[in-house]
Amino acid sequence: DAKTTQPNSMESNEEEPVHLPCNHSTISGTDYIHWYRQLPSQGPEYVIHGLTSNVNNRMASLAIAEDRKSSTLILHRATLRDAAVYYCILGSSYKLIFGSGTRLLVRP
Amino acid sequence: DTEVTQTPKHLVMGMTNKKSLKCEQHMGHRAMYWYKQKAKKPPELMFVYSYEKLSINESVPSRFSPECPNSSLLNLHLHALQPEDSALYLCASSQVGQEKLFFGSGTQLSVL
């Protein structure tokens, strides 16, 4: 199973953009890049996913490098409710293997 | 209704007990999953059901026995567990072939 590498933690100020990086140098051609987040005492929540092209939705944007060996999750304006562990995951929907994740702290 | 409901929320059991965890969804999803999450660790995939048939077993010990009696329900039967099995057990569901999983809030299991 392909692995992802993420920083253990990041900090941001409220209402500023946040860029969460992820390295996945062993990604295969069929692996999707997924992002989920987990708030305290909750199950993981889907954020966004993509294959090759950059993707946008109401929660975030996903920027994928041209060689697909890295990607960045972009939260355009962080709020206190965005404080969570963010997981970058490779695979298909049947087999999402979570990496260690990045704990995002948002300062008011 | 975009909820995955897990019961009970908390469970304490002895090593000789038999218990079951329950997961229910009414989104019409035909893929359902069990994950295990130890404290401060990422979730680990245990089982995947597709169209009520077991399609993935990630080499889980036989003391964990999954069951999918219908398209809305997923059970995890527990027997002769060890203290190291104490964890948060998460259920998820999705449309078959879709990339978006919906997770429940989990059952926090303590094995004494």
Side-chain angles (χ1 to χ4, degrees):
Chain A
D1 298 317
K3 289 191 174 181
T4 61
T5 303
Q6 300 176 252
N8 286 336
S9 65
M10 291 185 65
E11 291 189 25
S12 172
N13 294 319
E14 198 176 11
E15 301 197 3
E16 289 185 355
V18 182
H19 291 236
L20 297 169
C22 181
N23 287 321
H24 30 79
S25 58
T26 60
I27 190 170
S28 75
T30 56
D31 279 334
Y32 279 80
I33 302 160
H34 307 256
W35 285 83
Y36 281 73
R37 71 181 186 181
Q38 189 170 20
L39 280 67
S41 302
Q42 294 188 23
E45 175 188 28
Y46 170 86
V47 177
I48 202 165
H49 79 279
L51 185 61
T52 56
S53 304
N54 295 345
V55 184
N56 300 295
N57 65 22
R58 64 173 181 81
M59 286 182 72
S61 295
L62 175 60
I64 301 172
E66 202 167 322
D67 63 5
R68 298 207 330 125
K69 293 184 187 297
S70 66
S71 60
T72 302
L73 178 71
I74 303 162
L75 306 179
H76 297 286
R77 287 178 74 231
T79 70
L80 296 178
R81 286 174 293 182
D82 291 322
V85 178
Y86 286 78
Y87 294 103
C88 171
I89 305 159
L90 301 184
S92 72
S93 60
Y94 278 179
K95 199 162 182 176
L96 293 186
I97 308 298
F98 284 67
S100 55
T102 296
R103 182 172 298 279
L104 176 65
L105 304 172
V106 181
R107 291 185 293 259
Chain B
D1 182 3
T2 57
E3 268 196 25
V4 174
T5 303
Q6 291 188 242
T7 54
K9 292 198 181 309
H10 301 275
L11 179 63
V12 179
M13 62 185 290
M15 289 189 285
T16 59
N17 292 158
K18 284 185 181 180
K19 296 286 184 183
S20 297
L21 310 184
K22 180 181 171 183
C23 173
E24 195 166 4
Q25 56 86 17
H26 297 286
M27 294 178 276
H29 292 168
R30 301 299 294 276
M32 297 187 77
Y33 312 75
W34 281 114
Y35 279 81
K36 171 182 175 179
Q37 185 173 27
K38 303 279 278 183
K40 299 194 184 304
K41 296 290 186 184
E44 298 173 14
L45 181 64
M46 299 175 73
F47 302 105
V48 180
Y49 273 81
S50 176
Y51 297 108
E52 296 84 68
K53 287 186 170 33
L54 184 65
S55 60
I56 294 178
N57 176 343
E58 289 287 284
S59 302
V60 178
S62 60
R63 58 185 184 269
F64 296 91
S65 176
E67 178 197 20
C68 191
N70 61 56
S71 59
S72 300
L73 271 178
L74 184 66
N75 298 319
L76 186 63
H77 303 297
L78 313 172
H79 173 54
L81 294 195
Q82 304 297 309
E84 58 264 29
D85 297 321
S86 298
L88 181 68
Y89 288 84
L90 293 161
C91 173
S93 71
S94 73
Q95 298 280 10
V96 171
Q98 295 296 308
E99 305 297 328
K100 183 175 180 179
L101 269 64
F102 291 80
F103 282 83
S105 296
T107 294
Q108 186 66 55
L109 174 68
S110 296
V111 182
L112 304 179

